[in-house]
Amino acid sequence: MELLYVCIGGFFGAIARFLMFNVFAKKERATLFVNVSGSFLLVLFMPYMTTDWQQLLIAIGFFGAYTTFSTFTLDAVQLAKTSKKEAALYVVRMLSYSAVAMLVAYMLDSMLRR
Amino acid sequence: MSNRLSHRVVAALVVGCGGACGVALRYVCIASFSGAALFVANIVGSFCLAYLHERVSGKRNEQVIRLFVMTGMLGSFTTFSSVTYDAFVLFQQSILRGFMYVVVMTFCCIVAAIGGTVVGKR
C-alpha cells in the first residue's frame, strides 16, 4: 500500500518534469528550474504534511520524481566537455539557487505562521 | 488527436511509468539502508545515467531506453528535493554540516557520472 502511494506520486512527478523539459529550450535550464522549484515547494509544504500517506505521495513520490540529481550531474559532465568554467558555474548556480529557494521558503513559512 | 500530439502523450505516459518504477526502487532503498539511502540512490543513479547516455548517444532508435529508463526511471530514482530538505534540517543544527552534506553529495555524484561516462565509452 505504501509503495502504491509512492508510485502514484512518482508517476505524476516524472511527467511534470518531462513537460518542463519541453518548455525550456536548453536542457540545463530545465534541470535548474525543476530542481530549484521542487526544493522550494518541498521545504514550503513539508511542515503541512503531517500524515504518512501525504509524505509518501507528495514528498517522496511527487517531488522526489519531479526533481532529479542524475540529470544534474550528467549536465555538469556534458558541459565540462566544452567548457570547464561553464560546468563549474552550473554546479555553483544549482546549489546556490536551491539554497536561496530553501531560505525563502523557510522565511515565507514563518511569516505565514505569524 | 493529431499524430504528433498522441506521440507526445504516449511519451509522457512512458516517462510516468518509468518514474513510478524509479521512485519505488528508491523507496525500497530508503526502507533498507535508511541513513545512507539517498547517497546510494543518487550515486548509483548518476553513474547509470551517464553510462547509458554515453551508450545511446549517436543512436536514433532508442526511444524506450531514453524515455522509460533514462528520463523516467533514473531521473526519478535520484532526487534533489530530498537533498535540499535534508540540508535544511542539518542547517538548523549546524551550518557547516548542512554545507558539507550538500558539497560531499554533489562531489560524489559528479565523480560517479564521470565514471559512468568513462565506462560507457569502452
Side-chain angles (χ1 to χ4, degrees):
Chain A
M1 198 58 202
E2 288 171 348
L3 214 54
L4 186 68
Y5 281 128
V6 168
C7 284
I8 293 170
F11 179 78
F12 289 106
I15 290 179
R17 173 159 44 83
F18 181 64
L19 294 179
M20 284 302 166
F21 276 90
N22 287 324
V23 170
F24 288 87
K26 266 191 178 170
K27 189 169 163 269
E28 299 87 36
R29 285 264 167 80
T31 315
L32 190 67
F33 177 80
V34 156
N35 280 350
V36 172
S37 60
S39 301
F40 174 78
L41 292 172
L42 183 70
V43 175
L44 190 66
F45 290 145
M46 202 61 172
Y48 301 98
M49 290 184 239
T50 43
T51 57
D52 264 358
W53 72 266
Q54 287 170 330
Q55 290 199 353
L56 291 172
L57 185 76
I58 302 168
I60 297 181
F62 186 82
F63 285 119
Y66 177 64
T67 60
T68 176
F69 214 101
S70 51
T71 314
F72 159 50
T73 51
L74 181 64
D75 285 349
V77 173
Q78 293 298 110
L79 281 174
K81 280 182 182 163
T82 49
S83 152
K84 292 237 160 50
K85 199 181 141 212
E86 274 298 296
L89 208 64
Y90 174 66
V91 173
V92 170
R93 219 178 257 154
M94 179 74 80
L95 299 183
S96 53
Y97 286 5
S98 53
V100 169
M102 177 183 87
L103 277 176
V104 171
Y106 174 68
M107 289 193 293
L108 198 65
D109 180 51
S110 40
M111 258 161 62
L112 290 173
R113 272 161 195 274
R114 272 200 197 139
Chain B
M1 213 158 32
S2 76
N3 201 18
R4 237 189 114 170
L5 184 64
S6 66
H7 185 79
R8 279 248 169 117
V9 171
V10 171
L13 288 176
V14 170
V15 169
C17 292
C21 295
V23 172
L25 268 176
R26 175 155 43 84
Y27 184 67
V28 171
C29 275
I30 294 174
S32 45
F33 298 109
S34 67
L38 216 54
F39 261 93
V40 174
N42 280 349
I43 290 171
V44 171
S46 295
F47 179 89
C48 293
L49 185 69
Y51 173 80
L52 281 177
H53 183 269
E54 206 56 47
R55 279 281 139 138
V56 299
S57 68
K59 294 179 188 163
R60 299 194 76 221
N61 296 320
E62 303 283 358
Q63 282 304 319
V64 177
I65 293 185
R66 269 181 215 279
L67 293 173
F68 185 84
V69 182
M70 290 171 71
T71 310
M73 222 169 115
L74 290 170
S76 306
F77 182 59
T78 60
T79 181
F80 197 90
S81 53
S82 300
V83 175
T84 315
Y85 187 75
D86 283 354
F88 172 66
V89 174
L90 283 172
F91 266 127
Q92 288 168 329
Q93 298 163 7
S94 134
I95 291 181
L96 185 71
R97 277 174 86 184
F99 185 74
M100 284 306 287
Y101 176 73
V102 175
V103 169
V104 170
M105 173 78 84
T106 310
F107 180 78
C108 291
C109 291
I110 287 177
V111 169
I114 292 171
T117 311
V118 171
V119 176
K121 261 195 191 130
R122 284 194 188 158

